[in-house]
Amino acid sequence: MTGDLPGFADVVIVGAGPAGLAAAAELKARGVGSVLVLEREAQAGGIPRHCGHSPFGMREFHRLLRGPAYAARLLARAQAAGALVKTGVTVTALHPGSGLSVASAGGLRQITARRVLLCTGVRESTRAARLIGGTKPGGVLSTGALQGMVHLQALRPFRNPVVLGTELVSFSALLTCRHLGIRPAAMIEPGPRVTARRPAGLLPRLQGVPLLRNTSITAIEGRDRVTGVSLQTADGARRRLACDGVIVTGGFRPEAALVRDSHLTMDPATGGPVVDQFGRCSDPAYFAAGNLLRPVETAGWSWNEGRIIGRAIAESLGDEVPDFAQNMKIELQGDVLKYILPQTLSACPAPAALRHFQLRVTRPARGRLILRVNGEVVLSRALSALPERRITLPLNALPAGAEGVAELSFEDGPA
Amino acid sequence: MPAAPSALQGSFDVAVIGAGVIGCAIARRFTLEGARVAVIEKAPDILDGASKGNSAILHTGFDAPPGALETACIAEGYAEYLEIHDKLGLPLIRAGALVVAWTEEEEALLPALIQQARDNGVADIAPLSAAETRALEPGLGAGVRAGFRVPREYLIDPWSAPHAYLLQALANGATLLRGCEVTGGGFDGAMWRLETTRGPLSAGIVINAAGLYGDRIDARLIGHSDFTIRPRKGQFIVYDKPAAALATHILLPVPSKITKGIVVCRTAFGNLIVGPTAEDQDDRETAALVPETLAALRARGEEILPALAGQDVTAIYAGLRPASEFKDYQIRAHAGLNYVTVGAIRSTGLSSALGTARHVHRLCAEFGHQRTPLGAPVWPQVTGISEYARRDWQCPGNGGIVCHCERVTRREIEAALSGPLAAQSLAGLKRRTRVTMGRCQGFYCSAALAALTKGRLTQPMAEAEDDR
C-alpha cells in the first residue's frame, strides 16, 4: 500500500529480481542509510519466482536451488540486510535528478531519492512482434506466462502445445511442461541448430519431444482455442501439426518502457539504457543493472551485476565515483556484432564495476574481433561465436585514459 | 447458464439479432423510444464478428458516396456521437485527418474528392500544397505531392462505444441473450416467434443486424436475401506507444473505388495502427493473419512515416467487413413481415451506428411501431479506457495494477467481469479493459489474470490442476 511508502530513500531500486535484490543487500551492507525496493508484481523475486526447476543459486548460496526457493532467499537476504521491499508498486515515470512517480492501489504519488537503480529485467518477444500468421485463439503464451500459470497458480493452459524456439528458456518451458502432465507435441527451431548450449539440447530427446529444425510456424489455427499450427521447412515443404497451444519462447528484450519514456539515453542495440563502466546512465543519478542492460543473461549473472553496481552506487554516494564525464564511446561496425555493453566509458580513476565488455553476435561468426581507438588498432583477437551466447572482452583492452571513439569490428576469416 | 430449450425467453416489442456495433445502437434507440427490446447474440460475448476489428475512426463521411444511405447514416451517427459521448463517458480524440496524395494520379483526384466532401456537407476543407501538408505532419515520408485536411475526422474507442450503447439499453430495460443463436422462426401476421438455441421468444418486430451472417438470417427467417455477404478481410499492425508521437493526424490515402486504403493513425489506447488491407474471401469466421501481408503493411507504413522503422510491433489483428455485391448499405423494411434487414454495413459501421439506428427506427414507423419515448432515461457511464483521459490506475482504491503494459487495474477487471454486460470471454475482457493487449501480450499478467478469471469465462484461460 502507498500509505506506508516513504517519500524519500537514499537509493530506490526499481524491480525486485535477482539484480535488484542483490544490489539492495549490497547497499545496506555498505552502510547506505535507506534502501527502498519497489516491485510492481504482488511478490518479489523476479523471473526465478516462476522457474520451478534447478539450477539456481550456486554462485549466490553455494547450493542448488529451484527458482522459487532461490527468489525467496534473495528477498530474505535483502530484507535481513535492512532494505525495505514494497510490492504492488509500479514506477510510472522517471524524472531528471531522481524523482519517481509511482502508482499503487492507493493511487499516484512521488518519491525522491539520491540515486535510482533500474532493474526491470527482460521479457520474451511476442507472437505479434514476430508477425506469426494465422488466427488469434487462446493458448498462445510466452514461457513467462506459462510458468506463471503453472508454478504460481497451479493452472494448466493446454495439454499438447508446441514449443517455438531452442534458447535456454525454451528448455525451461519444456521442464515446466513436465508439471501438470503437459506433453509438448514438438519443439520447433527456425534455424539449423539448437540455440542453447549442451546439455540443454539433449532434453527434447530425453522427454520424447520431437525436435524440428529448419522449421517455421507460418500460421496458428483455431478460433477460441489453438487447434494446430502450419509448419514450413527450409526446403519449402508444408505440413500441419495438431496441438492445443503454442509456447512462443525467448527472443528476449529488456523491459525498458520506463527508460524509453524517460530522459535517459537508450541503446537501440541492447534495447536498454546506455551505461558506463559503473552501470551509470546518461543522468548520473540513475544506474541500471541486470537484464535491463541487455538480452539476456542468467539469474546468477544478473545477481552479480546487481551486487557490483550496488557497490558502485554506494561509492558514488560517498563521492568516490565522480559525476558522469563520458570521454569514450564504443561503436560497433558492421552487422555481425549485435551489441556491446557498457556503451560508454567515463574518465574516472575508480575501479570499474563492470570489468568486461559484454558482446553478442547476430549470426554464427568465426574470425577476428578488432578494436580501434581513433583509428589505431589496439586489440585483435580470435572469435568463434554463436548467436545468443555470451562473449566478453576485458575493459582494460582499451588503453588507460584513452579518449575519443573506440570502434569494434568483426572480420570473417580463420580464427 | 443456458435455459432449458423449451422455456419461453419472453415476449418483446423488438428482437434485434446480432450484438455488433449496429445491433447495440439499434437496441439503444428502440429502448429509448419506449420499446421492450431483446438483443440476441450467438457468440458468448458481444462484438464478436465484424465489430471486433476496425480502425476506430469517427468518420465525417467526407469521402462517402453522395446521396447514398451510408452517407446519410454516417452524418446522423456522427452528430449523435458528438452529442452523447460525454454523457456516456466515451472518448473523442480530435485528431483531424490528412488526406495525402503520393502520386500524380492521386493528386489529380484531389479536387473531385474535395468537391465530394462539400457535397456531403463537410465544408471545412481546404487544399494543401506539399509543403503545407508536410508542415502539418513533419514525419511524412518522401514523395508527398499535395493533400487536404479534414478537421472533424476523430478517433474514438471501437469497443467502449458499442458497450455504452448496449449498456444504456440494458439499464433502461432491454434484455441481452448471449450464446443464443436464432435457428428459425415465423411471423403470424401479428407477432414473430423466433426459435433459438436458448428457447423460443416472441417479438412484434425483428431486426436483422447479423453482420457477416445477415444474408443467412434473412434466408432463414424470410426465405430469401436481397444481397450476399462477401467478407472482406482487413489486416492491421499495432505499434507500441512511442510510435503515437510520430503523427498527430489520421493519415489517409486517396481512396480507391474498393477501399479507403491503408490508414496510419493513433488509437484511443495510445498506440499507432497501420491498416487495413482489403482482401475478399469466402470464409465468414476466420480472419487469418498473413506474415507476407503484414510485412508489406509494415513496409507501406514506413513509406508513409519513415520513423516507423525500428518501432516495436505490439499487436497484429485482422477483421472481416460484411461487404456485399452492392456498394451501399442494404437496409430494408419488409412490409407485411414486421422485419427489417440491416445488412452489408461493409465499413463505417462504427461511425454510422447511431444514425443507422435512427434510420431503422423511422422505417419501423411503417409497421405502426409507436411507443412513448422514455421521459428520463438512465445514462450509465462506461469506464474510461482511453489513454487520453484519466485512467483508473491514477485513482485511489483501484486494487493495484494487474496488466502493467496497459495499466489495467484489478478494480477495472472486476467491474468488467460483473454487471449486466459482464465479459464472458478473454476476448470480451480485453475489449472492455485492454488487459493483455500491450507490448508484452500477457508475459507478465497472464498468470494473475487466469487466477482472477477462474470460473468466470465460458472459455477459461487455463484449467485447474485437478480437472484432469
Side-chain angles (χ1 to χ4, degrees):
Chain A
M1 300 293 112
T2 15
D4 53 357
L5 257 186
F8 170 82
D10 287 306
V11 181
V12 170
I13 298 172
V14 185
L21 292 172
E26 183 68 22
L27 283 159
K28 286 307 295 182
R30 292 190 171 255
V32 172
S34 52
V35 176
L36 172 63
V37 187
L38 302 178
E39 169 56 52
R40 65 186 187 178
E41 296 293 337
Q43 239 190 332
I47 299 282
R49 258 174 330 135
H50 52 64
C51 295
H53 53 76
S54 311
F56 286 92
M58 278 313 287
R59 187 191 324 220
E60 305 87 326
F61 302 106
H62 312 295
R63 53 186 294 182
L64 214 54
L65 296 168
R66 287 173 192 266
Y70 169 72
R73 277 181 175 243
L74 290 178
L75 174 62
R77 191 184 266 184
Q79 287 176 321
L84 181 61
V85 181
K86 289 289 181 185
T87 57
V89 181
T90 306
V91 175
T92 59
L94 310 176
H95 306 296
S98 66
L100 305 173
S101 298
V102 302
S104 69
L108 264 178
R109 59 170 297 175
Q110 307 293 317
I111 295 180
T112 55
R114 295 173 66 200
R115 299 286 183 274
V116 176
L117 174 60
L118 303 169
C119 301
T120 51
V122 273
R123 59 177 165 79
E124 294 166 283
S125 68
T126 63
R127 174 258 175 105
R130 301 175 198 214
L131 301 184
I132 297 174
T135 54
K136 295 180 66 183
V140 181
L141 300 179
S142 58
T143 312
L146 166 72
Q147 293 184 332
M149 286 188 187
V150 170
H151 293 301
L152 300 179
Q153 308 291 349
L155 291 170
R156 178 179 46 217
F158 34 56
R159 287 163 190 261
N160 302 108
V162 292
V163 179
L164 176 62
T166 56
E167 296 179 37
L168 200 55
V169 66
S170 320
F171 297 96
S172 175
L174 270 193
L175 287 172
T176 299
C177 287
R178 290 166 61 171
H179 291 261
L180 309 185
I182 301 170
R183 301 186 62 84
M187 188 168 207
I188 296 165
E189 168 56 48
R193 55 166 75 81
V194 168
T195 308
R197 281 177 192 280
R198 287 165 75 90
L202 300 173
L203 254 181
R205 204 180 313 159
L206 291 175
Q207 280 185 237
V209 177
L211 173 62
L212 310 176
R213 277 170 290 210
N214 293 313
T215 304
S216 305
I217 297 180
T218 54
I220 295 172
E221 300 167 6
R223 183 178 156 93
D224 296 320
R225 303 290 312 173
V226 174
T227 54
V229 287
S230 298
L231 302 178
Q232 185 170 14
T233 50
D235 58 18
R238 287 169 181 266
R239 70 178 174 113
R240 184 181 181 278
L241 183 65
C243 59
D244 67 351
V246 181
I247 312 174
V248 180
T249 70
F252 279 99
R253 47 175 314 144
E255 172 66 359
L258 194 56
V259 179
R260 201 193 49 202
D261 292 343
S262 76
H263 61 295
L264 303 176
T265 306
M266 287 281 292
D267 177 8
T270 57
V274 167
V275 293
D276 69 5
Q277 72 270 35
F278 303 103
R280 193 166 43 180
C281 302
S282 55
D283 174 343
Y286 285 86
F287 290 72
N291 279 330
L292 170 63
L293 292 177
R294 99 264 90 191
V296 56
E297 271 295 350
T298 60
W301 183 279
S302 296
W303 173 85
N304 186 54
E305 236 164 34
R307 208 172 52 136
I308 60 181
I309 291 174
R311 191 179 308 153
I313 293 172
E315 285 166 3
S316 82
L317 286 166
D319 290 331
E320 288 160 59
V321 175
D323 271 1
F324 193 67
Q326 173 195 322
N327 74 331
M328 175 154 279
K329 188 166 185 280
I330 295 93
E331 287 177 353
L332 298 179
Q333 306 291 315
D335 55 5
V336 177
L337 300 175
K338 189 175 177 186
Y339 65 69
I340 186 161
L341 175 85
Q343 299 89 342
T344 68
L345 293 180
S346 297
C348 176
L354 300 169
R355 294 211 303 270
H356 290 85
F357 289 113
Q358 301 172 38
L359 304 168
R360 289 282 202 285
V361 289
T362 54
R363 60 158 169 86
R366 184 181 284 272
R368 297 197 76 77
L369 261 185
I370 296 163
L371 183 63
R372 291 182 179 84
V373 175
N374 301 323
E376 252 174 69
V377 174
V378 297
L379 175 100
S380 172
R381 198 190 91 171
L383 179 74
S384 174
L386 290 171
E388 305 304 329
R389 303 275 177 88
R390 175 190 303 160
I391 306 163
T392 60
L393 196 62
L395 230 53
N396 61 17
L398 278 174
E403 290 190 17
V405 177
E407 291 169 345
L408 189 65
S409 58
F410 170 80
E411 286 174 12
D412 280 303
Chain B
M1 291 297 108
S6 57
L8 189 69
Q9 290 287 326
S11 183
F12 302 90
D13 296 327
V14 177
V16 180
I17 302 172
V21 64
I22 298 290
C24 291
I26 291 173
R28 170 179 176 272
R29 174 50 45 205
F30 278 83
T31 303
L32 294 179
E33 301 289 348
R36 282 170 302 129
V37 175
V39 182
I40 306 167
E41 170 55 55
K42 79 176 161 147
D45 209 339
I46 71 167
L47 310 180
D48 196 56
S51 299
K52 73 179 163 192
N54 58 60
S55 39
I57 297 170
L58 185 67
H59 291 292
T60 54
F62 78 91
D63 58 347
L69 176 58
E70 177 186 8
T71 311
C73 288
I74 293 173
E76 202 172 2
Y78 180 94
E80 187 172 356
Y81 187 88
L82 290 200
E83 194 184 308
I84 67 171
H85 79 275
D86 257 346
K87 277 173 105 170
L88 291 171
L90 294 173
L92 184 72
I93 296 129
R94 298 173 190 267
L98 203 55
V99 177
V100 183
W102 298 89
T103 64
E104 204 178 328
E105 296 73 45
E106 288 176 355
E107 191 180 357
L109 290 171
L110 291 182
L113 209 51
I114 291 172
Q115 189 53 48
Q116 184 178 350
R118 295 194 172 128
D119 293 346
N120 287 340
V122 182
D124 51 349
I125 285 177
L128 301 170
S129 67
E132 289 166 330
T133 307
R134 191 172 293 288
L136 286 174
E137 287 294 347
L140 284 171
V144 175
R145 299 184 66 94
F148 64 88
R149 184 165 182 266
V150 191
R152 292 180 297 112
E153 291 272 303
Y154 297 146
L155 297 167
I156 62 175
D157 162 4
W159 300 313
S160 63
H163 277 116
Y165 305 159
L166 187 54
L167 263 179
Q168 192 179 23
L170 298 177
N172 288 287
T175 299
L176 171 64
L177 298 167
R178 282 182 281 190
C180 181
E181 183 175 358
V182 173
T183 52
F187 182 63
D188 67 5
M191 292 293 281
W192 272 92
R193 181 183 161 96
L194 291 180
E195 306 298 335
T196 81
T197 51
R198 288 181 59 181
L201 60 87
S202 66
I205 296 173
V206 168
I207 298 168
N208 168 12
L212 290 158
Y213 292 86
D215 53 347
R216 298 223 176 132
I217 287 290
D218 270 359
R220 201 171 287 171
L221 296 180
I222 61 171
H224 72 283
S225 183
D226 298 330
F227 59 92
T228 305
I229 290 295
R230 295 177 177 171
R232 185 170 297 153
K233 181 168 74 176
Q235 303 186 53
F236 291 85
I237 292 181
V238 184
Y239 285 88
D240 201 3
K241 301 201 185 323
L246 301 179
T248 308
H249 289 84
I250 300 160
L251 302 177
L252 302 173
V254 175
S256 76
K257 294 228 176 314
I258 303 162
T259 165
K260 284 175 174 294
I262 307 295
V263 179
V264 176
C265 66
R266 292 181 286 152
T267 72
F269 306 146
N271 297 79
L272 184 117
I273 56 173
V274 177
T277 57
E279 306 162 67
D280 291 332
Q281 63 175 43
D282 293 328
D283 190 334
R284 300 171 186 231
E285 275 298 303
T286 315
L289 294 154
V290 181
E292 294 75 16
T293 315
L294 294 169
L297 212 46
R298 206 170 171 175
R300 181 65 196 130
E302 290 173 13
E303 283 169 10
I304 296 169
L305 280 182
L308 268 182
Q311 293 284 331
D312 290 333
V313 172
T314 286
I316 47 180
Y317 69 96
L320 293 176
R321 314 176 185 83
S324 77
E325 66 272 45
F326 302 104
K327 278 197 186 126
D328 204 356
Y329 291 178
Q330 298 298 302
I331 302 181
R332 211 150 301 166
H334 296 269
L337 282 174
N338 284 13
Y339 182 96
V340 185
T341 302
V342 188
I345 312 295
R346 62 181 178 122
S347 179
T348 63
L350 181 65
S351 302
S352 78
L354 296 167
T356 302
R358 283 181 178 273
H359 174 72
V360 172
H361 182 257
R362 286 191 294 267
L363 287 180
C364 285
E366 294 171 19
F367 306 144
H369 172 82
Q370 203 62 51
R371 296 278 179 290
T372 311
L374 300 184
V378 179
W379 287 83
Q381 286 256 323
V382 291
T383 314
I385 58 170
S386 162
E387 194 69 4
Y388 297 91
R390 190 172 171 81
R391 296 276 312 280
D392 194 49
W393 64 267
Q394 296 164 305
C395 307
N398 60 48
I401 294 172
V402 175
C403 165
H404 299 293
C405 301
E406 296 298 309
R407 294 189 182 148
V408 182
T409 67
R410 178 180 286 258
R411 178 165 62 188
E412 286 176 305
I413 293 168
E414 289 292 347
L417 289 169
S418 54
L421 201 42
Q424 295 187 347
S425 65
L426 178 60
L429 188 62
K430 290 180 180 186
R431 293 194 281 266
R432 285 165 181 77
T433 63
R434 294 165 48 174
V435 76
T436 76
M437 292 176 68
R439 60 185 72 89
C440 92
Q441 296 277 296
F443 175 88
Y444 290 110
C445 71
S446 288
L449 198 60
L452 260 177
T453 56
K454 199 170 153 186
R456 298 165 86 171
L457 302 177
T458 49
Q459 281 280 347
M461 289 176 70
E463 336 163 84
E465 188 171 5
D466 41 22
D467 321 328
R468 292 243 167 182

